[in-house]
Amino acid sequence: MKKLLVSITSLFFVFNLAYGQNYYALFSPHQGKKAFEEVYKLVAKAKKSVKISIYSWSDNGIDKAMALALKNKASVRIVVHPPLLKKKAVITKIAKLEKIGAEVKVATMKMHEKMIIVDNQNIINTSANMSGGAKSRYSENFVFMTDLNKADKILNDFIHEFTVLWNSSIDLQTHNEGLSAELNEYTKVSGSKILNIPSKGNPVLYSSSMNFNITEASTNDINKGRFIRLKSKKVSNKKTWIIRDMLIEQIKKAKQSILLNLNHFYLDTLLPHLANAIKRGVKVAFMVDNQEFKTTRTPRESTPKFVQMWNKSFSNLGPAPVRIKYYSHAPSPRFWYLNHHKYLLIDYSESGNDTTLITGSYNLSQTAELSQFDNMVVYSGGKFKKLHKAFKQEFMSMWHQNRTSEDKPSQKILKALTYVNEKGNIALHYKEPISLTWKEAMKVKAAVAKKAKGIFNGIFRKRNCFSFNVNTQKFNCAP
């Protein structure tokens, strides 16, 4: 009997290890402040280590949190996006942190991943950059994975990924300190070879770094703090597409629905697979950023091509299932309210048993796949039903943003989008985004063009301006 009790207790302990982890999500802008506070809290309480990759860095709260971690004697390692070194404010941040013990490296490829690993136990993987916009204006998601342990493959996946990023990056020294040490936390090793491949866990990390083999660095590299080189993998003399191919396989497996909530969609190779899904009865719907709204054929954007494909082949099913987070007639970094999500939700159900969520930093593009560091994490099955539900609610909230109970766009906002004031000025940008169908956005553009003739002639070059005068036919730009 005593042995039986011990066995039951052991099984209960193993069960808790496997299912006791905490996976949850928060979303900007409505939960942006809370999300950032959660990030700060986890980082500030670090006892052993903080590993972080940064693409855009204007937020000061993360600096304070890292400083507190260093005060706790935790190591802080940061890999940054190369163009950040051109920003004096960022160089100042780095210098202050390195002065109190942080180690900072600059990636040798674009660093678009946005991940944080705390004490090799907690992970934050997000679409959000360390910026004020990500906190208060943009649509972002933050996935928190807490209280993980060495048995969790996803933890090992992320530790491995950061090790690849760190060891392939160049050391940045602002106080003549010695070179940062090489990390030896590779978790996928076969003999003398480091395997840079997805695991077979759930959840599972797919990264663009997995399109590269790990090779030895030269002496010159090592003198710069770079301990490995990454060489493109090729099959039949063609580069691999680890994340895109995973997305195609997931689309092929879809049986009921595919919801895509995207900042950018520049991957035409997905279009025929989406078309095949629609043909077999799968409901496909896109929620996209304002930047994806284009009324003329373009070689780059895939969203307009999806709309064209729909109108040609599936118009009998109704209007194209695409909605735009509309906030500007000429989206500009100076004024935008981005839909910055990058996720797919496939076969959503309340039980979550057949549901798959795919989310991370990867915009659907060749750049994200082959020219920069990005990732997507796949969460499948009922274990993640709360996470699935949260992402479904976020999608539906954006789908109906500033629309009536009859699913009509707010007339107040529609009028504001086309309003010409007493001075003859029509605003280019708005602080209250609205969800518009493709057809509704087309009508808005036509109404604006009718009232403000000439506004769309060269508007992209003037997108940092704030209004257009219908009398003078000139843009009004800030000093």
Side-chain angles (χ1 to χ4, degrees):
M1 178 61 74
K2 190 176 287 186
K3 287 184 178 179
L4 179 61
L5 286 173
V6 170
S7 297
I8 292 172
T9 302
S10 298
L11 284 171
F12 182 74
F13 180 70
V14 171
F15 179 86
N16 275 344
L17 279 181
Y19 294 97
Q21 308 95 335
N22 194 6
Y23 294 85
Y24 64 98
L26 294 172
F27 302 89
S28 290
H30 50 290
Q31 295 175 315
K33 184 177 179 181
K34 182 179 180 181
F36 270 76
E37 290 297 332
E38 286 285 293
V39 171
Y40 301 155
K41 183 170 67 175
L42 278 170
V43 170
K45 289 184 176 180
K47 301 299 181 185
K48 297 178 181 178
S49 63
V50 175
K51 302 178 176 79
I52 180 170
S53 58
I54 300 180
Y55 176 75
S56 177
W57 189 0
S58 58
D59 178 68
N60 294 323
I62 193 64
D63 306 18
K64 295 175 182 177
M66 288 190 285
L68 287 171
L70 288 163
K71 192 174 182 180
N72 296 338
K73 306 301 182 184
S75 65
V76 173
R77 293 185 173 94
I78 310 164
V79 180
V80 298
H81 183 47
L84 290 183
L85 301 187
K86 297 178 181 178
K87 298 178 181 289
K88 289 183 179 179
V90 174
I91 290 296
T92 299
K93 287 173 176 288
I94 291 171
K96 287 181 178 179
L97 285 167
E98 286 205 322
K99 193 172 183 179
I100 57 175
E103 299 172 89
V104 184
K105 285 189 165 190
V106 57
T108 50
M109 193 164 69
K110 295 176 183 177
M111 173 50 64
H112 195 247
E113 256 176 303
K114 308 117 185 347
M115 65 175 184
I116 305 173
I117 309 169
V118 179
D119 289 341
N120 281 358
Q121 182 179 18
N122 305 302
I123 300 169
I124 305 144
N125 199 45
T126 175
S127 64
N129 294 304
M130 288 294 126
S131 71
K135 184 185 296 185
S136 61
R137 300 196 308 278
Y138 308 158
S139 296
E140 308 272 13
N141 65 77
F142 301 75
V143 177
F144 294 84
M145 297 171 260
T146 60
D147 300 321
L148 301 172
N149 59 73
K150 291 182 179 179
D152 295 305
K153 287 187 177 180
I154 190 63
L155 175 62
N156 294 320
D157 285 350
F158 270 92
I159 291 172
H160 177 93
E161 175 71 0
F162 189 85
T163 302
V164 172
L165 302 184
W166 182 260
N167 287 344
S168 64
S169 297
I170 294 173
D171 204 357
L172 185 63
Q173 300 174 74
T174 59
H175 292 282
N176 297 314
E177 69 274 17
L179 288 176
S180 299
E182 179 180 9
L183 285 182
N184 292 298
E185 295 184 284
Y186 294 114
T187 58
K188 302 166 187 174
V189 180
S190 176
S192 61
K193 184 177 181 182
I194 299 167
L195 302 176
N196 201 26
I197 56 176
S199 69
K200 294 182 180 179
N202 181 30
V204 57
L205 171 71
Y206 288 80
S207 71
S208 54
S209 76
M210 294 175 187
N211 289 306
F212 297 86
N213 287 315
I214 294 171
T215 62
E216 291 184 10
S218 66
T219 302
N220 186 49
D221 285 330
I222 293 172
N223 289 337
K224 296 177 182 177
R226 182 183 185 186
F227 300 103
I228 62 171
R229 278 189 170 270
L230 300 178
K231 184 177 180 180
S232 294
K233 293 179 183 177
K234 291 186 178 181
V235 176
S236 299
N237 210 33
K238 292 183 179 180
K239 292 182 179 180
T240 60
W241 292 66
I242 293 290
I243 301 179
R244 182 205 63 181
D245 291 350
M246 174 273 291
L247 293 173
I248 289 173
E249 288 306 307
Q250 292 290 348
I251 291 169
K252 284 180 177 179
K253 290 191 291 186
K255 296 177 181 178
Q256 297 177 4
S257 62
I258 303 172
L259 305 181
L260 303 98
N261 202 350
L262 306 176
N263 179 223
H264 289 304
F265 180 25
Y266 301 154
L267 213 52
D268 288 357
T269 48
L270 296 189
L271 292 174
H273 299 286
L274 290 168
N276 288 335
I278 295 165
K279 288 174 184 176
R280 61 178 187 267
V282 176
K283 294 182 179 179
V284 175
F286 281 81
M287 187 73 223
V288 299
D289 183 61
N290 204 150
Q291 296 171 93
E292 296 298 287
F293 175 62
K294 299 290 193 305
T295 55
T296 55
R297 291 183 65 88
T298 60
R300 191 179 183 197
E301 291 86 359
S302 298
T303 304
K305 294 173 185 176
F306 175 83
V307 173
Q308 291 161 8
M309 179 186 77
W310 180 277
N311 290 338
K312 181 179 179 181
S313 303
F314 305 107
S315 58
N316 61 304
L317 299 176
V322 176
R323 291 195 179 179
I324 303 145
K325 183 183 181 183
Y326 199 98
Y327 51 84
S328 175
H329 301 315
S332 159
R334 186 175 178 183
F335 299 103
W336 59 28
Y337 282 71
L338 289 174
N339 174 11
H340 203 238
H341 285 305
K342 307 99 167 44
Y343 74 83
L344 290 79
L345 189 62
I346 299 174
D347 289 344
Y348 176 77
S349 66
E350 288 293 327
S351 71
N353 290 336
D354 299 315
T355 307
T356 296
L357 169 68
I358 308 165
T359 185
S361 65
Y362 178 96
N363 287 309
L364 273 57
S365 70
Q366 178 174 312
T367 298
E369 186 79 46
L370 302 178
S371 304
Q372 62 191 30
F373 293 111
D374 269 308
N375 75 51
M376 281 292 212
V377 179
V378 181
Y379 308 84
S380 300
K383 177 181 176 181
F384 303 106
K385 66 179 183 179
K386 290 184 179 178
L387 201 59
H388 298 156
K389 185 176 181 180
F391 276 83
K392 174 67 181 302
Q393 289 175 338
E394 172 69 3
F395 186 94
M396 297 312 297
S397 175
M398 293 185 66
W399 189 259
H400 295 290
Q401 186 172 20
N402 281 317
R403 299 180 71 88
T404 68
S405 56
E406 292 80 27
D407 198 26
K408 302 293 182 182
S410 162
Q411 288 300 308
K412 178 183 177 182
I413 295 179
L414 283 184
K415 287 179 181 178
L417 291 173
T418 61
Y419 176 69
V420 178
N421 68 17
E422 64 280 359
K423 294 182 179 180
N425 293 324
I426 185 169
L428 299 185
H429 314 284
Y430 300 85
K431 293 183 178 180
E432 195 169 7
I434 185 172
S435 175
L436 296 179
T437 67
W438 200 268
K439 187 175 181 180
E440 289 164 352
M442 291 281 285
K443 286 183 177 179
V444 166
K445 183 173 181 179
V448 170
K450 186 176 180 180
K451 288 184 178 182
K453 293 179 180 178
I455 188 173
F456 292 110
N457 295 331
I459 193 171
F460 182 80
R461 295 192 300 274
K462 297 291 185 178
R463 61 183 181 153
N464 287 329
C465 299
F466 54 87
S467 67
F468 178 82
N469 189 276
V470 301
N471 301 318
T472 64
Q473 297 279 291
K474 291 182 179 180
F475 289 92
N476 301 308
C477 305

